[in-house]
Amino acid sequence: MKKAIAFMDSGLGGISVMAEARKLLPYENFIMYGDSKNAPYGEKTDGEVTRLTINAAKKLLEYNIKALVIACNTATSIAGKKLYTKMPIPIVGIVPPLKQAQGLKKEGEILVMLTPAAAKSHTIQNMLRHYGENTNILPCPGLMEFVERGELKGENLHKKLETLLNPYINKKIDVVALGCTHYPFLTEEIRNFFDKDTAFINGGDESARTLKALLEKQGLLTQDKTPGKTLFLNSSEDKIPLMKELYLSLGFDKEEII
Ligand code: DGL
């Protein structure tokens, strides 16, 4: 049995990161764990986020895993450093792509959508000191819940986005950086509020590239050339069918799912 790469998130969002990794690592086995029962992490204290993240990581260590991806900006920015020193396997996190956003910016501004807890974290505040020019930080309480419910369009979502995005719709926004792994599932709806040429980015592809490079460097990539399998787990088991549905909606093959 191939050792798996584990992905963890406060809920279903981490699937957007795992999907990027799947494109680069077709032969690896994946385990995706969502902690939906304890979501949202983004409206909890740092202590709670750290405790929940460590618990999720410990749970995943009980499986046959060779690396862990913290596929959650909130967990990475609050608990990442602690976890990097504690875990016996390689760890990769995800942060909002502020540096990439600076590279894409023209004469307008950047908007970073993320959770309230991530917005306050030292990690993000530090990043902003380096890459925060013309950057608006928008905490989005209550937004990840739409993805957790599988509500990816409709009147209520539109109203919620209108309230959040209202201060920015008359500004020239060159780049929207999605700093929560749930939000890529809402990209089409968020796009409606901006110009056609506004760039949308998230940190998922960079995490996936970092993961691949790390496994390569440590000689941990599988040599087996059969398609990798993916197992979905969740602290709320009733969320597992929706996890599969979201993943398959990104164009993957259902044969892959265990
Ligand atoms: N998916 C998480 C992130 O990337 C946050 C969602 C939550 O608030 O739990 O930040």
Side-chain angles (χ1 to χ4, degrees):
M1 183 66 180
K2 291 188 245 189
K3 279 195 165 196
I5 299 164
F7 296 77
M8 63 145 294
D9 181 37
S10 60
L12 279 45
I15 295 167
S16 64
V17 183
M18 189 183 73
E20 294 299 330
R22 176 51 86 211
K23 293 180 204 160
L24 300 183
L25 301 167
Y27 307 123
E28 300 291 343
N29 284 346
F30 288 170
I31 297 176
M32 171 77 233
Y33 174 70
D35 192 10
S36 296
K37 193 171 152 190
N38 294 304
Y41 283 13
E43 291 176 54
K44 292 195 161 51
T45 63
D46 286 9
E48 283 171 316
V49 172
T50 304
R51 182 180 61 80
L52 291 168
T53 305
I54 290 174
N55 280 352
K58 277 191 186 149
K59 188 179 164 70
L60 283 162
L61 279 180
E62 289 166 15
Y63 291 79
N64 189 23
I65 64 169
K66 60 182 176 185
L68 172 68
V69 180
I70 314 172
C72 175
N73 294 265
T74 309
T76 302
S77 57
I78 293 169
K81 277 207 189 100
K82 234 196 192 122
L83 218 59
Y84 294 136
T85 55
K86 269 199 164 150
M87 292 283 282
I89 52 172
I91 301 206
V92 174
I94 183 167
V95 284
L98 302 187
K99 188 178 173 187
Q100 194 192 345
Q102 289 295 339
L104 290 169
K105 182 170 65 68
K106 297 171 202 143
E107 61 294 331
E109 298 182 19
I110 294 167
L111 179 66
V112 185
M113 297 173 71
L114 74 185
T115 70
K120 279 190 280 177
S121 70
H122 293 300
T123 305
I124 307 294
Q125 289 300 323
N126 260 336
M127 284 177 71
L128 282 168
R129 273 190 275 279
H130 294 281
Y131 308 111
E133 205 186 318
N134 293 326
T135 299
N136 304 278
I137 289 289
L138 176 61
C140 301
L143 189 55
M144 67 82 81
E145 285 85 344
F146 283 84
V147 179
E148 290 290 300
R149 290 194 293 271
E151 194 178 337
L152 308 185
K153 46 168 95 93
E155 180 89 356
N156 287 340
L157 174 60
H158 188 83
K159 277 197 193 130
K160 175 75 188 170
L161 288 171
E162 203 164 47
T163 310
L164 289 167
L165 297 172
N166 194 42
Y168 303 99
I169 44 187
N170 291 321
K171 285 191 175 180
K172 173 78 187 110
I173 300 292
D174 288 334
V175 188
V176 175
L178 302 176
C180 166
T181 57
H182 284 70
Y183 304 164
F185 289 105
L186 305 174
T187 304
E188 290 320 308
E189 294 302 309
I190 300 171
R191 256 188 211 288
N192 290 332
F193 292 86
F194 297 96
D195 293 343
K196 292 260 172 304
D197 60 349
T198 300
F200 274 72
I201 55 173
N202 67 75
D205 47 358
E206 189 173 332
S207 280
R209 281 196 299 275
T210 306
L211 171 69
K212 186 178 179 192
L214 192 65
L215 293 175
E216 236 158 26
K217 193 167 151 211
Q218 303 207 8
L220 289 172
L221 285 174
T222 183
Q223 298 307 310
D224 180 280
K225 293 286 185 261
T226 54
K229 294 277 184 193
T230 297
L231 172 69
F232 288 94
L233 304 169
N234 199 301
S235 52
S236 279
E237 283 190 16
D238 60 336
K239 290 284 179 197
I240 292 176
L242 182 54
M243 293 176 93
K244 294 180 181 174
E245 203 182 295
L246 282 178
Y247 184 62
L248 293 175
S249 76
L250 300 174
F252 296 98
D253 185 350
K254 68 172 181 309
E255 295 302 308
E256 176 193 326
I257 296 176
I258 296 175

